[in-house]
Amino acid sequence: MKNKILGLIESAVQAVSGEEVAVELTRPDAQFGDFATNVALQLGKKQGKNPREVAQEIIDTIPKNDSIASAEIAGPGFINLTVTDKSLVSSVIHPGKFTAFKDQTVVAETNNPNPFKAMHIGHAFNAILADTTANLLEAGGADMHRVSYHGDVGLHVGKSMYSLLKFVGDDPKKLDSIKPSERNKFMSQMYADGSNAYTSDETAKKEIDALTVQSFTREDPLFAEVYDICKKWSFEQIDELVDKLGNKPTQKRYLESDADEIGVQTVKKHEGSVFINSDGALVFPGKKYGIFDNVFVTSTGRGLYGARDLGLMQLKQQDFKADKSYIVTAEEQKDYFRGVIKAAELCLPELNGVTQNISTGTVKLSTGKMSSRSGEVLDVQWLFDQIESAIRSRGAKPTAENIQGALRYQFLKVRVGSDVIFDVEQSVALEGNTGPYVQYAHARACSILTKGSAPQSFPETDLTDDERLLLRKISEYSEVTERAISELMPHLVCTYLYELAQEFNRFYEHNRVIDDKRQVVRLAIVNEYATTLK
RNA sequence: GCACCGGUAGCUCAGUGGAUUAGAGCACUUGUCUUCGGAACAAGGGGUCGUAGGUUCGAAUCCUACCCGGUGUACCA
């Protein structure tokens, strides 16, 4: 509908002014109409005319049609437009398709918790945002590929393995005493202990450094056995928890150990051209590009995460030949990724413009920042427990749908990049701007629809004010979603759905559907509402 | 030091050039309802949009400076 109205206004503007002016239609308060434009103000300024007179000329020039019911001048020269009921209804039952990513192959990492550590709330936030971004891309027509990437080598593995080897002594069977449900917590504790030892104990530090090297080579049989068991545990946990978050499955799992070699080779190949040698280390001189210098390969020849991310980009490109590749990370890594992406584009010109880094804010507790090093993390299991008990305390039964609805909405309703302040009490509250409120508003509508079935086609009729308000809100779906897709901003959808649910609840409160003389029309409206919300 | 992100109601956040009252939710106050699932609806109090200048017919929104908070700044991830 918006495009149709836009077309009408644009042709009128061109006829009046003889020039191409970009017309913008906004959604004013319902009392002012369905659309508004300030084009007469812009034109008036440009041509030195009175904006209100320009507005009147534009209105007079709009061709007769069955879409616009009225056009009025307001304030200094705004034009408020009200569409006909017929046009409104038609726009609701024939929403447009989204094409922002049509014919594009897109790959996204939709989860990336590391094995040998606990999966915490930050990982959950990241995974949910990445998965939802992938949903938007898919809705925009992309050929979507979801993958994951995990750090199975490096210092954090050395730290965990230090504690794990102490725990098992020389008998890996001791690990059997840890129950599956305790493993996430256990691994978290092992990592925290190793991490503390690393900073407080010189001898431990040396051992951990040696174990870090082992994470790449795995030549000691005992190390390899414990490593394999715990890595398997970790991925079982990760897969289970990611599924529980409501993420769609990934089709390929990448590991840092896979990406390391190809990355290191690429760096070495471009020594002198892209990377510089500094005391034996291979450094990307990011400062030249306004970022910061960063070591990709150590003076001992070991690949660091920069080299591995470079290798990963190549692996993904071999597998998918994607037009775009999305990586969602915490904002701390924003500048780091600017550097890696720049380095990748210099080494591999075919990657130009492919890799996109979306940075998230931080999940914070009202009590302070979480730190995985000191062990003060809220692991994901704890979070599920909190939400489940909150749902039970309402006398309801926790289900995958209501748990995911509550959790995902909480993380997605803020603008991408904003921090999420995780207040335990508020996060599990089920009123107000929350997932459960929206789900409830859907359930109510569905309940009505079981009591009377919606007509095949929308009846021709004039609408009451309340009916019109609800339909007007439903009609915003296309333009809101289109924007959410092109800007990859899920919160726009959340905000809209909340407003839509509010509008429905207002309607519900004041208008009967079943056994009302307007039952047929109202069932049609409720049906469109439920479909849109879902 | 430099770079990036942020500062909007008591709290958590939308709004990033447009108006006639700057919006929600939570919390607080007061109502509605013997309900098509009350996890509802309605009304009210509460804001010099960090500060000071500037641009503009028009600024929370753009520019400049400053203040406050967060993050990053080479062999950790």
Side-chain angles (χ1 to χ4, degrees), chain A residues 40-96:
Chain A
L41 287 167
Q42 292 179 30
L43 219 53
K45 183 180 185 178
K46 215 169 172 182
Q47 304 188 331
K49 292 186 187 165
N50 180 340
R52 287 188 66 101
E53 284 170 19
V54 176
Q56 189 58 56
E57 282 181 54
I58 293 170
I59 290 172
D60 293 341
T61 314
I62 295 172
K64 287 266 177 278
N65 65 86
D66 58 2
S67 295
I68 296 176
S70 72
E72 284 169 4
I73 304 172
F78 295 96
I79 301 173
N80 289 333
L81 300 157
T82 303
V83 302
T84 58
D85 287 0
K86 195 180 165 190
S87 167
L88 180 61
V89 167
S90 141
S91 76
V92 165
I93 48 183
H94 303 295

Side-chain angles (χ1 to χ4, degrees), chain A residues 208-515:
Chain A
I208 288 169
D209 285 335
L211 292 170
T212 298
V213 176
Q214 272 283 326
S215 75
F216 289 88
T217 61
R218 298 190 282 278
E219 45 197 17
D220 173 34
L222 181 65
F223 181 101
E225 188 174 352
V226 174
Y227 177 93
D228 286 341
I229 290 170
C230 293
K231 182 166 147 185
K232 186 162 166 281
W233 281 8
S234 290
F235 283 128
E236 280 168 8
Q237 283 281 312
I238 289 168
D239 291 345
E240 186 187 320
L241 290 168
V242 167
D243 179 60
K244 209 170 168 185
L245 291 173
N247 274 27
K248 294 201 176 119
T250 51
Q251 67 185 90
K252 180 147 188 172
R253 181 184 339 266
Y254 292 98
L255 300 173
E256 287 192 18
S257 56
D258 301 328
D260 190 70
E261 195 185 341
I262 181 170
V264 171
Q265 278 175 1
T266 304
V267 172
K268 284 184 175 164
K269 193 172 149 195
H270 292 88
E271 178 181 351
S273 54
V274 178
F275 296 91
I276 53 170
N277 190 314
S278 168
D279 300 330
L282 298 181
V283 178
F284 178 67
K287 268 189 192 146
K288 271 184 11 196
Y289 309 98
I291 317 161
F292 58 85
D293 295 354
N294 191 16
V295 175
F296 276 48
V297 175
T298 69
S299 47
T300 56
R302 237 178 66 214
L304 294 173
Y305 48 93
R308 298 199 282 271
D309 273 315
L310 191 56
L312 174 65
M313 287 180 201
Q314 294 172 79
L315 292 177
K316 286 195 285 197
Q317 209 55 13
Q318 285 166 16
D319 291 338
F320 300 106
K321 297 174 184 61
D323 298 298
K324 292 277 184 224
S325 174
Y326 289 88
I327 304 174
V328 178
T329 61
E331 67 179 345
E332 292 95 297
Q333 299 186 4
K334 191 174 184 172
D335 285 345
Y336 159 73
F337 267 101
R338 281 178 61 208
V340 177
I341 290 168
K342 186 73 201 172
E345 291 180 346
L346 290 169
C347 294
L348 309 149
E350 68 271 23
L351 284 175
N352 251 317
V354 171
T355 308
Q356 309 288 322
N357 177 231
I358 295 172
S359 59
T360 72
T362 314
V363 182
K364 292 177 186 160
L365 296 175
S366 20
T367 50
K369 197 195 168 183
M370 299 184 298
S371 157
S372 70
R373 296 194 182 174
S374 54
E376 297 161 10
V377 292
L378 294 181
D379 73 61
V380 175
Q381 195 55 55
W382 174 89
L383 184 60
F384 282 125
D385 292 345
Q386 292 294 307
I387 292 172
E388 284 173 26
S389 78
I391 291 169
R392 278 199 194 88
S393 73
R394 301 265 164 165
K397 204 172 124 193
T399 64
E401 263 189 357
N402 60 24
I403 294 168
Q404 289 165 12
L407 180 58
R408 290 176 82 91
Y409 194 91
Q410 194 71 18
F411 284 144
L412 294 171
K413 73 176 178 182
V414 300
R415 194 186 174 90
V416 176
S418 290
D419 291 348
V420 173
I421 308 291
F422 216 92
D423 182 304
V424 175
E425 295 305 316
Q426 278 195 8
S427 70
V428 296
L430 306 180
E431 294 107 11
N433 187 359
T434 65
Y437 174 93
V438 176
Q439 288 178 322
Y440 178 70
H442 181 254
R444 272 182 140 179
C446 291
S447 183
I448 291 174
L449 292 169
T450 61
K451 295 184 168 64
S453 52
Q456 291 292 314
S457 62
F458 206 102
E460 280 211 30
T461 173
D462 289 335
L463 302 166
T464 68
D465 287 351
D466 283 358
E467 288 165 1
R468 199 174 196 292
L469 280 172
L470 181 52
L471 276 170
R472 181 186 189 271
K473 203 53 167 177
I474 298 172
S475 77
E476 288 174 27
Y477 168 76
S478 294
E479 59 214 62
V480 170
T481 310
E482 187 176 314
R483 194 177 152 213
I485 291 170
S486 64
E487 297 179 19
L488 295 178
M489 294 217 167
H491 82 288
L492 294 173
V493 178
C494 290
T495 305
Y496 168 69
L497 291 181
Y498 180 61
E499 289 170 3
L500 179 61
Q502 272 187 318
E503 202 61 65
F504 172 74
N505 277 330
R506 276 179 212 125
F507 176 83
Y508 180 94
E509 198 69 22
H510 305 296
N511 302 277
R512 251 343 267 188
V513 176
I514 303 298
D515 297 337

